[in-house]
């Protein structure tokens, strides 16, 4: 459109249209996929082999996507990579060994930080977008020097409330043991405390089958997560308040079931819908209340992380 400047000159301005895309990962093939939100126009944009990619985020403003690689779970060779949105200019941000087995990944756009959970490393971590200033924010090891031996200490899913100054994470527990938990803490470690002894950690939910990836609807103070445990409470997507009332805490509500070991979840809050992946190789969509369920793609390998972005 044309507008007049203070010197009465006509200045041409344009508004660049954005288009929604899904980006998701296959742990079995090591590939990064891109598709339209209806599952069409499926593309492989990165094909690296079996590094077990797990969590993915998009920095639309910078034109980058980032993802975690678990590597060999016993080898302490986890990494985080970055590429352009078309898969070009691939580079390591966190080199192999910079983290143990990184899982879900989140982007703090405001402060230009990456946050992730490190499973066998038994910690919650963050770094600058260039990989500098790696920090451990939560250490669940309790001085356990045996990486990953106690599955109750495994940190898996992570979500951020940057304006509220909080981070949320899941600890999945042993397979179908009902040991799964969801925690919350401040983004910053309290003064005179450490990642291992901080006193601000809140236990929000416990007794869950195997909670995995986590997302937040901040406007409605609601959290959503996948669970890969056994039915009826597992292989599901669950929804619960971010601020459960103490003493009268309600059980999480199952809003999507019959996943084949659910892993990834992404929310399109403007469109009031969610996207899901499972290790059975499918991509699904549904409304945020679980209605209007659709299978978008199938037989795509062991799918892990997924992100919805407008680019």
């Amino acid at each position: 459109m044309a507008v007049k400047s203070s010197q009465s000159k006509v200045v041409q301005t344009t508004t660049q249209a954005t288009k929604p895309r899904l980006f998701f990962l296959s742990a079995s093939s090591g590939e990064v996929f891109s598709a339209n939100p209806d599952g069409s126009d499926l593309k492989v944009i990165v094909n690296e082999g079996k590094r077990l990619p797990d969590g993915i985020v998009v920095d639309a403003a910078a034109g980058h996507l980032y993802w975690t690689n678990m590597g060999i779970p016993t080898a302490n060779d986890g990494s985080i990579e970055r590429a352009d949105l078309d898969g070009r200019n691939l580079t390591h941000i966190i080199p192999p060994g910079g983290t143990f087995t990184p899982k879900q990944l989140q982007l703090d756009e405001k402060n230009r930080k990456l946050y992730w959970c490190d499973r066998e490393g038994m910690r919650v971590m963050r770094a600058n977008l260039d990989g500098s200033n790696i920090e451990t924010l939560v250490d669940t090891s309790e001085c356990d020097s045996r990486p990953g031996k106690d599955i109750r200490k495994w940190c898996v899913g992570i979500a951020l409330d940057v304006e509220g100054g909080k981070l949320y994470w899941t600890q999945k527990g042993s397979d179908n043991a009902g040991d799964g938990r969801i925690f919350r803490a401040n983004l910053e470690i309290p003064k005179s405390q450490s990642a291992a002894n901080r006193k601000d950690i809140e236990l929000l939910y416990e007794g869950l089958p195997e909670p995995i990836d986590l997302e937040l609807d901040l406007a409605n103070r609601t959290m959503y997560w996948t669970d890969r445990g056994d039915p009826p409470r597992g292989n599901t997507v669950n929804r619960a308040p971010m601020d459960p009332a103490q003493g009268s805490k309600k059980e999480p509500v199952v809003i999507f079931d019959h996943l084949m070991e659910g892993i990834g979840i992404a929310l399109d809050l403007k469109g009031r819908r969610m996207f899901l992946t499972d290790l059975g190789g499918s991509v699904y969509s549904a409304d945020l209340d679980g209605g209007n369920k659709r299978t978008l793609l199938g037989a795509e390998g062991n799918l892990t992380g997924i992100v919805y972005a407008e680019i």
Side-chain angles (χ1 to χ4, degrees):
M1 71 179 170
V3 297
K4 288 187 178 181
S5 70
S6 58
Q7 286 83 31
S8 298
K9 294 180 180 179
V10 175
V11 180
Q12 295 293 324
T13 62
T14 59
T15 301
Q16 186 174 0
T18 61
K19 61 179 181 179
R21 294 289 288 183
L22 298 175
F23 296 88
F24 55 96
L25 304 167
S26 170
S28 51
S29 67
E31 294 170 316
V32 181
F33 293 94
S34 176
N36 288 327
D38 63 1
S40 63
D41 192 32
L42 178 65
K43 301 175 182 178
V44 175
I45 58 173
V46 177
N47 186 348
E48 282 201 295
K50 296 183 179 180
R51 295 187 183 180
L52 295 182
D54 191 88
I56 186 167
V57 293
V58 168
D59 182 358
H64 292 147
L65 55 92
Y66 297 81
W67 65 94
T68 61
N69 293 307
M70 293 175 62
I72 300 171
T74 59
N76 195 7
D77 63 347
S79 62
I80 298 178
E81 292 183 83
R82 185 190 73 200
D84 296 343
L85 295 177
D86 61 3
R88 299 179 183 178
N89 296 315
L90 182 65
T91 184
H92 274 103
I93 299 303
I94 305 296
T99 180
F100 205 121
T101 42
K103 299 290 286 179
Q104 191 178 10
L105 183 68
Q106 294 287 2
L107 170 67
D108 174 359
E109 295 183 67
K110 179 180 178 181
N111 299 298
R112 313 305 289 162
K113 296 275 189 179
L114 293 171
Y115 286 74
W116 68 95
C117 277
D118 187 334
R119 193 178 72 182
E120 271 80 0
M122 299 175 286
R123 54 193 170 177
V124 178
M125 305 182 73
R126 74 178 172 194
N128 295 333
L129 294 187
D130 62 0
S132 62
N133 194 28
I134 300 173
E135 301 175 82
T136 296
L137 302 176
V138 179
D139 179 350
T140 66
S141 69
E142 299 175 334
C143 300
D144 190 344
S145 61
R146 304 165 301 158
K149 298 298 182 182
D150 186 348
I151 298 176
R152 278 177 50 87
K153 298 174 183 177
W154 282 6
C155 302
V156 179
I158 187 169
L160 305 177
D161 177 4
V162 174
E163 294 303 321
K166 300 287 186 179
L167 61 86
Y168 296 71
W169 73 96
T170 66
Q171 291 178 213
K172 83 175 211 60
S174 301
D175 294 353
N176 301 301
D179 288 335
R181 294 171 289 173
I182 300 178
F183 295 88
R184 172 170 66 192
N186 295 318
L187 286 173
E188 304 301 331
I189 299 174
K191 290 183 179 179
S192 303
Q193 297 178 27
S194 70
N197 70 10
R198 57 189 300 172
K199 308 302 182 186
D200 61 331
I201 295 175
E202 301 174 72
L203 173 61
L204 300 181
Y205 295 96
E206 60 184 331
L208 307 175
E210 293 182 63
I212 305 297
D213 284 4
L214 183 64
E215 291 290 339
L216 303 178
D217 178 355
L218 295 174
N220 294 292
R221 302 300 295 172
T222 302
M223 61 174 65
Y224 295 76
W225 68 90
T226 53
D227 193 300
R228 63 177 291 188
D230 284 345
R233 295 179 62 208
N235 274 316
T236 56
V237 176
N238 299 261
R239 181 172 69 183
M242 291 171 56
D243 309 297
Q246 297 301 314
S248 59
K249 191 179 297 182
K250 295 182 179 180
E251 287 292 320
V253 176
V254 172
I255 57 172
F256 194 112
D257 56 13
H258 291 90
L259 294 170
M260 297 293 290
E261 297 199 58
I263 303 292
I265 182 169
L267 303 184
D268 168 19
L269 294 174
K270 288 193 296 183
R272 307 306 297 167
R273 57 183 174 170
M274 59 184 172
F275 299 91
L276 314 163
T277 57
D278 62 20
L279 292 182
S282 296
V283 180
Y284 310 89
S285 68
D287 297 337
L288 289 185
D289 63 1
N292 196 26
K293 298 179 181 179
R294 296 179 59 200
T295 300
L296 305 178
L297 294 163
E300 297 297 340
N302 301 131
L303 299 185
T304 51
I306 187 169
V307 64
Y308 169 88
E310 295 182 357
I311 59 175

